[in-house]
């Protein structure tokens, strides 16, 4: 009877532990699936052992279909090679790595900033690489658009021999571009950013109106 009681007690404790582990796994998966980033874990052989919903959407696949597959099964050879090289750097250095990765998506390519990090066991040995990849394609496009507009504006101002300035009234800071330096006959370098200094370049009779 005592043995039977002990066996039942151990069995109950085991089921409680399994239930707690399953609940924690469900919580973790819920967190992973409700983020906008692509999250995955690959073992030392390069096999996917965990992915989230965003990964499934990106590659039009399911977790059951992707588990135990490798990068080369999902990406072109060049992209897969680069991804594997980044994973290897993380494993060797045992330090996180932030890098841009280009992922072909349907009829376009998407740019991701991937934060990769080693998963290390209790003996201090890496056993997998985790990654959180965020799509920055639109952000890069906006930056490129702003850069092109800035180049056009700069070219237009240079052609017109015009300069621009602005006065941040709350902080009382005066800012001007390089062409305004030329118009004022100033040498390249820092300009005292205040209105009194600016007014010294305005004719005495006009200062009050300015």
């Amino acid at each position: 009877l005592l043995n039977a009681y002990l066996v039942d007690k151990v069995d109950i404790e085991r089921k409680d532990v399994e239930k707690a582990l399953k609940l924690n796994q469900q919580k973790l998966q819920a967190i992973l699936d409700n983020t906008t980033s692509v999250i995955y874990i690959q073992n030392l052989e390069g096999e996917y052992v965990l992915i989230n919903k965003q990964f499934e959407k990106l590659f039009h696949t399911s977790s059951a279909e992707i588990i135990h597959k490798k990068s080369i099964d999902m990406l072109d050879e060049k992209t897969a090679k680069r991804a594997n090289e980044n994973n290897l750097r993380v494993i060797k250095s045992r330090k996180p790595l932030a890098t841009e990765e280009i992922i072909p998506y349907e009829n376009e390519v998407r740019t991701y900033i991937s934060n990769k990090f080693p998963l290390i066991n209790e003996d201090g040995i890496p056993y997998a690489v985790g990654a959180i990849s965020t799509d920055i394609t639109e952000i890069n496009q906006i930056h490129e658009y702003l850069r092109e507009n800035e180049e056009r504006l700069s070219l237009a101002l240079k052609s017109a021999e015009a300069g621009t300035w602005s006065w941040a009234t709350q902080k009382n800071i005066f800012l001007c571009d390089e062409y305004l330096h030329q118009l004022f006959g100033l040498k390249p370098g820092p300009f005292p950013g205040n209105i009194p200094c600016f007014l010294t370049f305005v004719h005495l009779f006009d200062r009050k109106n300015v």
Side-chain angles (χ1 to χ4, degrees), residues 2-3 17 34 56 64 86 90 102 139 143-144 150 153:
L2 178 60
N3 286 339
V17 171
N34 286 279
E56 294 179 346
N86 289 333
V90 171
I102 308 298
I139 295 176
H143 286 171
E144 180 64 18
E150 185 176 351
L153 175 61

Side-chain angles (χ1 to χ4, degrees), residues 26-46:
Q26 290 174 346
K27 290 179 180 179
L28 174 60
Q29 193 66 47
I31 294 173
L32 298 180
D33 290 341
N34 286 279
T35 180
T36 57
S37 297
V38 174
I39 300 177
Y40 56 91
I41 294 176
Q42 291 177 281
N43 60 23
L44 298 185
E45 287 71 40

Side-chain angles (χ1 to χ4, degrees), residues 73-156:
D73 299 316
M74 309 301 301
L75 306 168
D76 62 83
E77 184 176 354
K78 182 178 180 180
T79 305
K81 181 180 178 182
R82 189 184 307 114
N84 291 335
E85 289 174 350
N86 289 333
N87 289 354
L88 186 60
R89 289 173 60 188
V90 171
I91 294 171
K92 286 185 174 181
S93 67
R94 301 188 181 188
K95 295 180 180 179
L97 171 68
T99 182
E100 281 194 7
E101 294 183 326
I102 308 298
I103 306 297
Y105 179 73
E106 295 181 349
N107 296 324
E108 61 176 338
V109 293
R110 309 291 295 182
T111 304
Y112 286 81
I113 181 71
S114 294
N115 293 287
K116 297 193 170 185
F117 50 91
L119 298 179
I120 300 175
N121 63 20
E122 55 192 20
D123 297 320
I125 300 174
Y127 64 91
V129 174
I132 302 174
S133 301
T134 304
D135 192 341
I136 60 170
T137 306
E138 281 75 16
I139 295 176
N140 284 352
Q141 291 172 348
I142 291 173
H143 286 171
E144 180 64 18
Y145 176 76
L146 292 175
R147 185 190 63 79
E148 291 177 354
N149 278 354
E150 185 176 351
E151 289 181 353
R152 293 192 188 101
L153 175 61
S154 178
L155 180 61

